mmCIF file of all heavy atoms in Angstrom:
data_model
loop_
_atom_site.group_PDB
_atom_site.id
_atom_site.type_symbol
_atom_site.label_atom_id
_atom_site.label_comp_id
_atom_site.label_asym_id
_atom_site.label_seq_id
_atom_site.Cartn_x
_atom_site.Cartn_y
_atom_site.Cartn_z
ATOM 1 N N THR H 119 1.021 11.774 0.336
ATOM 2 C CA THR H 119 1.087 12.696 1.457
ATOM 3 C C THR H 119 0.864 14.135 0.997
ATOM 4 O O THR H 119 1.166 14.502 -0.140
ATOM 5 C CB THR H 119 2.439 12.601 2.175
ATOM 6 O OG1 THR H 119 3.480 12.888 1.246
ATOM 7 C CG2 THR H 119 2.634 11.214 2.768
ATOM 8 N N VAL H 120 0.337 14.915 1.898
ATOM 9 C CA VAL H 120 0.027 16.318 1.649
ATOM 10 C C VAL H 120 0.815 17.161 2.649
ATOM 11 O O VAL H 120 0.854 16.842 3.842
ATOM 12 C CB VAL H 120 -1.487 16.566 1.820
ATOM 13 C CG1 VAL H 120 -1.817 18.033 1.616
ATOM 14 C CG2 VAL H 120 -2.293 15.697 0.847
ATOM 15 N N ARG H 121 1.457 18.211 2.162
ATOM 16 C CA ARG H 121 2.162 19.121 3.066
ATOM 17 C C ARG H 121 1.168 19.727 4.051
ATOM 18 O O ARG H 121 0.050 20.096 3.668
ATOM 19 C CB ARG H 121 2.823 20.246 2.278
ATOM 20 C CG ARG H 121 3.907 19.817 1.332
ATOM 21 C CD ARG H 121 4.344 20.995 0.454
ATOM 22 N NE ARG H 121 4.953 22.074 1.237
ATOM 23 C CZ ARG H 121 5.174 23.299 0.734
ATOM 24 N NH1 ARG H 121 4.806 23.593 -0.508
ATOM 25 N NH2 ARG H 121 5.746 24.225 1.492
ATOM 26 N N MET H 122 1.582 19.875 5.308
ATOM 27 C CA MET H 122 0.710 20.457 6.319
ATOM 28 C C MET H 122 1.489 21.480 7.140
ATOM 29 O O MET H 122 2.562 21.180 7.665
ATOM 30 C CB MET H 122 0.127 19.387 7.237
ATOM 31 C CG MET H 122 -0.875 19.969 8.242
ATOM 32 S SD MET H 122 -1.779 18.698 9.159
ATOM 33 C CE MET H 122 -0.439 18.048 10.167
ATOM 34 N N ILE H 123 0.941 22.674 7.217
ATOM 35 C CA ILE H 123 1.538 23.750 8.004
ATOM 36 C C ILE H 123 0.551 24.099 9.112
ATOM 37 O O ILE H 123 -0.527 24.653 8.842
ATOM 38 C CB ILE H 123 1.866 24.969 7.129
ATOM 39 C CG1 ILE H 123 2.858 24.566 6.028
ATOM 40 C CG2 ILE H 123 2.414 26.112 7.967
ATOM 41 C CD1 ILE H 123 3.090 25.622 4.975
ATOM 42 N N ASP H 124 0.906 23.747 10.340
ATOM 43 C CA ASP H 124 -0.009 23.940 11.455
ATOM 44 C C ASP H 124 0.235 25.289 12.131
ATOM 45 O O ASP H 124 1.072 26.089 11.689
ATOM 46 C CB ASP H 124 0.083 22.773 12.440
ATOM 47 C CG ASP H 124 1.473 22.618 13.059
ATOM 48 O OD1 ASP H 124 2.312 23.533 12.929
ATOM 49 O OD2 ASP H 124 1.707 21.556 13.691
ATOM 50 N N VAL H 125 -0.486 25.539 13.205
ATOM 51 C CA VAL H 125 -0.396 26.843 13.870
ATOM 52 C C VAL H 125 1.014 27.141 14.384
ATOM 53 O O VAL H 125 1.550 28.232 14.125
ATOM 54 C CB VAL H 125 -1.437 26.948 15.003
ATOM 55 C CG1 VAL H 125 -1.240 28.233 15.798
ATOM 56 C CG2 VAL H 125 -2.855 26.895 14.434
ATOM 57 N N PRO H 126 1.678 26.215 15.122
ATOM 58 C CA PRO H 126 3.047 26.530 15.571
ATOM 59 C C PRO H 126 4.003 26.823 14.425
ATOM 60 O O PRO H 126 4.840 27.728 14.519
ATOM 61 C CB PRO H 126 3.453 25.267 16.348
ATOM 62 C CG PRO H 126 2.160 24.670 16.797
ATOM 63 C CD PRO H 126 1.205 24.939 15.678
ATOM 64 N N ALA H 127 3.885 26.064 13.332
ATOM 65 C CA ALA H 127 4.775 26.290 12.190
ATOM 66 C C ALA H 127 4.491 27.638 11.532
ATOM 67 O O ALA H 127 5.425 28.355 11.128
ATOM 68 C CB ALA H 127 4.618 25.160 11.174
ATOM 69 N N MET H 128 3.215 27.988 11.411
ATOM 70 C CA MET H 128 2.854 29.275 10.818
ATOM 71 C C MET H 128 3.343 30.421 11.693
ATOM 72 O O MET H 128 3.929 31.398 11.205
ATOM 73 C CB MET H 128 1.342 29.368 10.639
ATOM 74 C CG MET H 128 0.883 30.644 9.928
ATOM 75 S SD MET H 128 1.259 30.663 8.164
ATOM 76 C CE MET H 128 -0.013 29.512 7.578
ATOM 77 N N ALA H 129 3.093 30.324 13.006
ATOM 78 C CA ALA H 129 3.513 31.384 13.924
ATOM 79 C C ALA H 129 5.026 31.572 13.888
ATOM 80 O O ALA H 129 5.531 32.710 13.886
ATOM 81 C CB ALA H 129 3.037 31.069 15.339
ATOM 82 N N ALA H 130 5.759 30.465 13.842
ATOM 83 C CA ALA H 130 7.223 30.547 13.813
ATOM 84 C C ALA H 130 7.709 31.194 12.513
ATOM 85 O O ALA H 130 8.654 31.995 12.518
ATOM 86 C CB ALA H 130 7.821 29.154 13.974
ATOM 87 N N TRP H 131 7.079 30.854 11.408
ATOM 88 C CA TRP H 131 7.449 31.431 10.102
ATOM 89 C C TRP H 131 7.217 32.936 10.093
ATOM 90 O O TRP H 131 8.079 33.714 9.668
ATOM 91 C CB TRP H 131 6.633 30.749 9.007
ATOM 92 C CG TRP H 131 6.900 31.226 7.614
ATOM 93 C CD1 TRP H 131 8.084 31.165 6.933
ATOM 94 C CD2 TRP H 131 5.950 31.811 6.713
ATOM 95 N NE1 TRP H 131 7.935 31.668 5.661
ATOM 96 C CE2 TRP H 131 6.643 32.059 5.500
ATOM 97 C CE3 TRP H 131 4.594 32.106 6.800
ATOM 98 C CZ2 TRP H 131 6.005 32.639 4.395
ATOM 99 C CZ3 TRP H 131 3.960 32.680 5.693
ATOM 100 C CH2 TRP H 131 4.664 32.945 4.509
#
Side-chain angles (χ1 to χ4, degrees):
T119 59
V120 178
R121 296 172 64 193
M122 184 171 69
I123 300 171
D124 61 13
V125 173
M128 184 73 75
W131 180 61

